[in-house]
């Protein structure tokens, strides 16, 4: 039915808005709790670590394959909404805040990969296009708290928490009420603790997964440090007078457009080819970043961030498509989940590495390290003996 994809996309957008809610208000929390700026990386990593833990447990227990993925999505959306509210507790301690973000990330494991599983069950044909819109919703959801922060600048920071929790609850209810389990769903009848690893026996699945891992090394570190990059630029050029929350929203949010475009273009030019182009482009952005991050021409600097943001996420729905298409049917949900788990574990390493090595003196050069992931991903995709050279052609929509 026509309403299914829009509902999945909107529900994904609403629910993933809680993902970076803490980042958008980090400045306010840091002032209230007298925290160092480096705490931002720890807060981001807490969500990622929670997500990794959740995806690992969901994959081992085959949650999305043994139970209705729609009901799993709904349940996790409501629980995550309640836990997200914990960040607004009066006199919250730094440790409690980190715990809240960790638990929020844990239940996001039942939202993001499960949402992709629901979409793949409904849209076995034209999956690249469908996941393009779905990952685009994730991008907007990730950026949205920055917009909320900009819009509610005159209000207490807790309104960002209240708003994102409400959206998550609405998204979960919409999924339950308007989206049935898809016709492509094959329910796993028994618990198989090693079932989530079955996909890695397939060469094409492994190639898609390793390409995704290279992409993830760069993606969330870039997103996490967008406000940091903008703040550093503003400190370097005070006359630029940047609205950091609003600009952070636009820089991250523009990636939703490239997700939709890459999904549509993949139907004409092929999923693997478009993923390779996007990964190469973002790799180039990493390498040339020292030339442009402190460019005195503010317009040039902002345009570069927009281009980088579009390139860094454009391949995400394409890699997810390749993983879904080459995963065993009875463990598709678990295969998607474990790939997400490993990918997000990689993001913690890159975020913490940049955070540990970044100084005022090397702030212009440090993001070159993000090129490591795309380079390794491209090697997997392009080497002559790689199974990724096998066509990953998608069925026509």
């Amino acid at each position: 039915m026509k309403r299914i994809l829009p509902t999945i996309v909107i529900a994904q957008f609403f629910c993933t808005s809680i993902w970076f809610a803490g980042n958008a208000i980090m400045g306010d929390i840091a002032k209230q709790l007298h925290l160092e700026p480096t705490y931002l990386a720890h807060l981001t990593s807490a969500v990622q670590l929670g997500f990794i833990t959740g995806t690992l447990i969901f994959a081992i227990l085959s949650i999305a394959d043994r139970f209705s993925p729609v009901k799993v999505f709904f349940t996790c959306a409501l629980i995550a909404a309640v836990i997200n509210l914990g960040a607004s507790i009066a006199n919250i301690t730094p440790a409690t805040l980190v715990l809240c973000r960790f638990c929020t990330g844990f239940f996001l494991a039942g939202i993001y990969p499960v949402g992709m599983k629901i979409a793949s069950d409904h849209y076995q044909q034209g999956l690249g296009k469908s996941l393009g819109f779905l990952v685009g919703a994730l991008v907007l959801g990730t950026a949205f708290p920055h917009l909320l922060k900009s819009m509610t600048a005159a209000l207490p920071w807790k309104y960002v928490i209240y708003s994102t929790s409400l959206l998550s609850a609405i998204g979960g209810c919409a999924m339950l009420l308007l989206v049935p389990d898809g016709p492509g769903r094959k329910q796993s009848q028994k618990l198989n603790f090693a079932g989530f690893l079955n996909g890695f026996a397939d060469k094409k699945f492994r190639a898609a997964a390793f390409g995704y891992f290279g992409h993830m090394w760069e993606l969330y570190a870039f997103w996490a440090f967008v406000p940091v990059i903008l703040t550093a630029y503003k400190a370097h050029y005070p006359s630029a007078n940047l609205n950091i929350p609003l600009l952070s929203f636009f820089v991250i949010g523009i990636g939703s457009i490239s997700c939709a475009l890459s999904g549509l273009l993949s139907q004409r030019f092929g999923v693997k080819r478009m993923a390779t182009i996007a990964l190469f482009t973002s790799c180039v952005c990493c390498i040339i970043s020292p030339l442009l991050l402190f460019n005195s021409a503010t317009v040039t600097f902002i345009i570069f961030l927009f281009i980088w943001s579009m390139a860094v996420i454009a391949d995400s729905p394409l890699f997810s498509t390749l993983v879904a298409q080459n995963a065993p049917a009875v463990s598709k949900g678990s295969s998607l989940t474990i790939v997400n788990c490993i990918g997000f574990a990689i993001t913690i390493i890159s975020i913490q590495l940049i955070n540990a090595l970044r100084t005022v003196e090397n702030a212009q050069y440090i993001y070159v390290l993000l090129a490591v992931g795309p380079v390794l991903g491209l090697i997997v995709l392009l080497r002559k003996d790689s199974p990724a050279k096998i066509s990953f052609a998608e069925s026509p929509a």
Side-chain angles (χ1 to χ4, degrees):
M1 291 182 285
K2 292 183 178 180
R3 72 164 188 266
I4 289 178
L5 183 59
T7 301
I8 297 173
V9 169
I10 293 171
Q12 188 85 300
F13 162 60
F14 280 5
C15 294
T16 53
S17 67
I18 64 177
W19 203 313
F20 268 40
N23 294 54
I25 56 175
M26 188 56 227
D28 301 278
I29 295 176
K31 290 178 183 177
Q32 179 177 315
L33 301 180
H34 308 291
L35 301 170
E36 295 294 326
T38 53
Y39 188 75
L40 170 62
H42 302 316
L43 200 64
T44 302
S45 293
V47 183
Q48 306 298 78
L49 185 58
F51 183 83
I52 292 162
T53 305
T55 49
L56 182 59
I57 292 175
F58 275 53
I60 291 173
L61 299 179
S62 302
I63 298 294
D65 294 311
R66 294 171 55 225
F67 304 101
S68 163
V70 167
K71 292 179 181 177
V72 171
F73 187 104
F74 165 73
T75 302
C76 290
L78 291 191
I79 295 174
V82 173
I83 295 173
N84 186 56
L85 288 173
S88 65
I89 296 173
N91 301 318
I92 190 171
T93 65
T96 304
L97 179 59
V98 168
L99 179 61
C100 284
R101 298 308 293 158
F102 173 88
C103 293
T104 300
F106 182 94
F107 286 100
L108 278 165
I111 294 173
Y112 175 46
V114 175
M116 289 195 294
K117 154 73 170 167
I118 295 169
S120 66
D121 286 343
H122 280 282
Y123 299 96
Q124 294 171 298
Q125 294 185 337
L127 183 57
K129 179 180 72 174
S130 302
L131 291 188
F133 287 111
L134 196 64
V135 177
L138 166 69
V139 176
L140 279 181
T142 300
F144 190 62
H146 293 288
L147 179 62
L148 278 177
K149 173 60 181 172
S150 177
M151 293 170 59
T152 60
L155 298 173
W157 59 265
K158 293 181 180 180
Y159 278 77
V160 173
I161 297 296
Y162 301 151
S163 300
T164 51
S165 286
L166 177 61
L167 288 175
S168 181
I170 293 173
C173 291
M175 186 72 83
L176 179 68
L177 296 174
L178 299 176
V179 180
D181 288 326
R185 181 191 175 211
K186 293 185 182 295
Q187 184 175 1
S188 177
Q189 299 297 326
K190 60 181 181 179
L191 185 60
N192 181 0
F193 290 111
F196 67 96
L197 295 174
N198 290 343
F200 288 98
D202 184 275
K203 292 182 179 180
K204 290 187 288 185
F205 180 91
R206 286 201 307 272
F210 285 121
Y212 176 79
F213 299 154
H215 146 80
M216 288 297 283
W217 171 268
E218 178 190 9
L219 175 62
Y220 272 83
F222 174 77
W223 279 353
F225 283 95
V226 162
V228 177
I229 291 170
L230 293 172
T231 300
Y233 186 88
K234 187 175 182 178
H236 205 72
Y237 300 105
S239 60
N241 195 28
L242 303 178
N243 183 331
I244 293 172
L246 185 61
L247 196 52
S248 295
F249 165 74
F250 282 118
V251 169
I252 297 173
I254 198 171
S256 61
I257 297 174
S258 63
C259 285
L261 284 175
S262 68
L264 292 169
L265 290 173
S266 70
Q267 293 187 292
R268 177 173 183 139
F269 299 106
V271 177
K272 176 179 169 285
R273 179 180 299 174
M274 292 306 303
T276 303
I277 291 172
L279 196 61
F280 175 78
T281 305
S282 66
C283 182
V284 171
C285 288
C286 295
I287 293 170
I288 68 173
S289 61
L291 302 176
L292 296 165
L293 285 185
F294 285 95
N295 193 293
S296 58
T298 303
V299 173
T300 302
F301 163 69
I302 293 174
I303 290 175
F304 171 66
L305 286 184
F306 281 153
I307 293 172
W308 194 357
S309 182
M310 292 184 75
V312 78
I313 188 61
D315 49 1
S316 192
L318 305 178
F319 284 124
S320 295
T321 298
L322 298 177
V323 169
Q325 289 179 334
N326 292 283
V330 294
S331 60
K332 185 187 299 182
S334 298
S335 297
L336 282 165
T337 303
I338 194 60
V339 168
N340 277 168
C341 176
I342 298 171
F344 279 86
I346 291 170
T347 70
I348 289 187
I349 299 172
S350 60
I351 289 171
Q352 290 295 339
L353 180 66
I354 297 296
N355 186 57
L357 298 180
R358 185 184 180 278
T359 64
V360 174
E361 291 75 21
N362 69 17
Q364 183 174 351
Y365 307 97
I366 191 66
Y367 303 104
V368 171
L369 290 175
L370 296 181
V372 172
V375 167
L376 294 177
L378 287 168
I379 290 173
V380 172
L381 290 174
L382 297 176
R383 66 186 184 187
K384 292 183 178 180
D385 61 338
S386 170
K389 296 295 287 185
I390 299 172
S391 173
F392 283 112
E394 182 180 16
S395 302

